[in-house]
Amino acid sequence: MKKYILSFLLAGTFLVSCGEYNKVLKSSDYEYKYEAAKSYFGKGSYTKSATILEELIPILKGTDHAEESLYMLAMSYYNQGDYVTAAHYFKAYYTQYPNGTYTELARFHSGKSLFLDTPEPRLDQTSTYAAVSELQLFMEYFPESKRNTDAQIMIFSLQDKLVMKDYLSAKLYYDLGTYTGNSSMTADRRINGNNFLACITTAENALRDYPYTSMREDISILLLRAKYKLGSESVLEKKEERMREAIDEYYAFKNEFPESKYMEEVEKIFKDASKYVKELNEE
C-alpha cells in the first residue's frame, strides 16, 4: 500500500505556475491531467488537485487510474478540511472498491471525516450518530487494523458528546421545573405540571445507554434531585410513592459514589424524604 501512497508524493515536479495550472485545466490530454493532479496532490495543492480530479473521475471510470483518482479526490477534500465532501467520496470509494488498495484507509477516513465535522453538544447530533456508526463499521471490517485504537478513541469522544447532549437536555428540564397550563384559562381551570418526569426519563436513558461515561456521577445526582423534586411537588395520592422512589435513588447513588462531592446534598435529600414518609405513616 505504501508504494501507491508514495506515488502521489513522487509525481512530477513540472507544475510551477498559475499559467501551468490554467494550461492543465484547458488541456484535453487526460493522461497529462491525471499526472498533473498527482503532482498538485503531492505538493499539497489540494484545491487544484480536487478541481482537476472532479473532471477526471467520470472520464477515468473503468481505467487503471480510476481507483487511485477517486481516493486521491477524497483525500484532497479531507486535507482541505471539507469533511462532508471528503466523507462522501471516501464512501463512494469503498462502495465501488470493497477490496481496493485503499479500502481500509477510505473506511477509516470516512469515519474520521464525520468525526471532525460533528457539532458541539447543544446542537443536533444526527451527524454524531453517523460518525459512531461509520467508525464501528470500520472496526468490524478491519478488526486487526492498527488504526482501531484511534477509531475507538474517537468513538468514546463522540459518545461523551452524546452524553453531554442528554445531560444538558435533562438539566434543562430540571431547571424549567414546574409550569402552569394555558394562560387563557381562568385560574381555577389551569393545569399545573412539571418537567421533572422528563428530566428523569432523559437521565435514566443516558445512564442506560452510556454506562461507562465519565459524567455518570453528575447525571446520577441530577436524577436524584429530579426524583426528589417530583415527589415534593406531586399531588397527595402520588407523593409517598415518589418520595420512596427518591429514597431508593439515594441508596443507589450512595452505593455507587460513597465519596461523592455531592454527599452533603444527597444526605439532606434523604433526610427530608425519609421525614415525610415517616410522618405520613404516623398519621
Side-chain angles (χ1 to χ4, degrees):
M1 185 180 294
K2 290 181 179 178
K3 68 179 182 180
Y4 290 98
I5 297 173
L6 286 174
S7 71
F8 295 156
L9 304 176
L10 298 177
T13 59
F14 60 96
L15 303 171
V16 295
S17 68
C18 291
E20 186 65 42
Y21 176 62
N22 289 330
K23 179 182 176 183
V24 172
L25 294 178
K26 294 176 182 178
S27 175
S28 58
D29 184 342
Y30 297 115
E31 186 67 30
Y32 168 67
K33 282 191 167 184
Y34 168 72
E35 293 299 332
K38 289 178 66 175
S39 179
Y40 281 125
F41 184 91
K43 293 173 183 293
S45 299
Y46 302 117
T47 300
K48 292 180 180 179
S49 63
T51 300
I52 298 168
L53 289 166
E54 284 280 10
E55 178 189 353
L56 289 179
I57 293 300
I59 296 169
L60 295 177
K61 190 173 182 179
T63 71
D64 293 340
H65 301 320
E67 181 182 345
E68 185 178 57
S69 295
L70 184 55
Y71 179 73
M72 190 161 45
L73 176 60
M75 285 301 300
S76 293
Y77 282 115
Y78 177 85
N79 289 327
Q80 289 181 68
D82 184 348
Y83 299 119
V84 173
T85 306
H88 167 77
Y89 281 114
F90 283 128
K91 188 170 185 178
Y93 174 90
Y94 70 67
T95 300
Q96 292 182 39
Y97 306 102
N99 299 307
T101 303
Y102 308 105
T103 301
E104 179 182 338
L105 289 168
R107 280 195 172 275
F108 175 76
H109 282 103
S110 176
K112 188 173 182 180
S113 294
L114 294 174
F115 166 78
L116 292 170
D117 191 60
T118 53
E120 58 101 0
R122 292 182 183 276
L123 302 177
D124 178 74
Q125 295 299 307
T126 300
S127 60
T128 303
Y129 287 107
V132 170
S133 176
E134 194 76 356
L135 288 165
Q136 288 175 335
L137 283 173
F138 164 74
M139 295 178 69
E140 290 176 16
Y141 276 95
F142 301 97
E144 304 301 322
S145 175
K146 64 182 181 181
R147 297 174 178 83
N148 277 355
T149 299
D150 290 338
Q152 188 64 71
I153 290 172
M154 285 188 280
I155 289 173
F156 286 149
S157 177
L158 292 167
Q159 288 177 339
D160 284 345
K161 187 174 290 190
L162 294 173
V163 171
M164 177 59 76
K165 173 72 171 179
D166 286 348
Y167 172 76
L168 292 173
S169 296
K171 190 174 186 305
L172 177 62
Y173 285 128
Y174 182 85
D175 291 342
L176 287 172
T178 56
Y179 62 86
T180 302
N182 193 329
S183 60
S184 65
M185 296 180 179
T186 59
D188 61 339
R189 293 182 60 198
R190 290 177 188 169
I191 302 173
N192 294 323
N194 63 67
N195 294 283
F196 300 121
L197 188 58
C199 173
I200 291 168
T201 300
T202 304
E204 288 179 335
N205 288 341
L207 292 172
R208 182 196 66 226
D209 294 341
Y210 309 103
Y212 305 111
T213 175
S214 60
M215 294 190 64
R216 188 171 180 85
E217 183 178 354
D218 294 316
I219 297 173
S220 295
I221 186 60
L222 188 60
L223 177 60
L224 175 57
R225 289 168 182 162
K227 286 193 172 184
Y228 171 67
K229 290 291 287 184
L230 181 65
S232 299
E233 301 189 17
S234 291
V235 294
L236 187 60
E237 59 265 27
K238 293 183 178 181
K239 198 162 189 173
E240 181 182 2
E241 177 188 354
R242 288 174 171 174
M243 281 298 196
R244 290 187 182 278
E245 289 176 356
I247 292 171
D248 289 342
E249 196 63 42
Y250 156 81
Y251 283 115
F253 184 95
K254 189 172 182 178
N255 286 336
E256 186 169 0
F257 309 103
E259 305 297 327
S260 175
K261 61 186 177 182
Y262 300 112
M263 196 52 67
E264 183 177 346
E265 177 187 358
V266 168
E267 293 295 348
K268 184 178 185 304
I269 289 174
F270 173 70
K271 181 179 179 181
D272 290 348
S274 298
K275 181 180 178 182
Y276 174 82
V277 172
K278 181 180 179 181
E279 290 176 348
L280 187 67
N281 290 329
E282 289 176 349
E283 292 179 358

